Amino acid sequence: HPKTPLDPTQLQQQEDNNAAPVTEWISWRDRMFENQLESYIEFVRYWTKRYGNEKRFILSHEALILEESGRGEAQRLAEFLEKVPV
């Protein structure tokens, strides 16, 4: 199991709303990790089946923000968007 929360923004919201303590979030995360991962896998399968390779663009956030690859990734995105009908 991961050692850090899966959704840090949820932790901030909990703290802001005086909701469940961090220990409860960690407990939920540990119990639900496999279920949430399976849900994400189904999400990806749905969208990859719905749109063919020519209508789909996969962009890595990490590659986009890295200095050595960001410019090229932004260019790839721009070229893909130019082909999308308005």
Side-chain angles (χ1 to χ4, degrees):
H1 295 288
K3 298 291 184 195
T4 57
L6 295 176
D7 186 359
T9 59
Q10 184 174 355
L11 281 178
Q12 185 62 45
Q13 289 171 351
Q14 286 178 350
E15 291 171 6
D16 292 346
N17 297 328
N18 292 325
V22 173
T23 55
E24 288 184 29
W25 158 245
I26 291 172
S27 174
W28 178 88
R29 177 205 64 195
D30 291 346
R31 284 190 326 274
M32 298 299 293
F33 179 78
E34 294 294 327
N35 178 271
Q36 294 295 304
L37 181 59
E38 191 59 40
S39 293
Y40 183 70
I41 290 168
E42 287 304 314
F43 169 83
V44 170
R45 283 183 182 148
Y46 171 83
W47 288 106
T48 55
K49 286 179 183 176
R50 185 172 177 144
Y51 294 100
N53 289 339
E54 70 284 349
K55 294 183 178 181
R56 182 178 36 199
F57 184 81
I58 298 176
L59 175 66
S60 161
H61 174 262
E62 292 80 7
L64 184 62
I65 64 171
L66 288 175
E67 188 173 336
E68 59 271 9
S69 57
R71 183 175 298 199
E73 288 299 291
Q75 182 64 41
R76 276 190 340 111
L77 176 58
E79 290 169 4
F80 176 78
L81 292 175
E82 284 178 349
K83 298 175 189 174
V84 174
V86 182

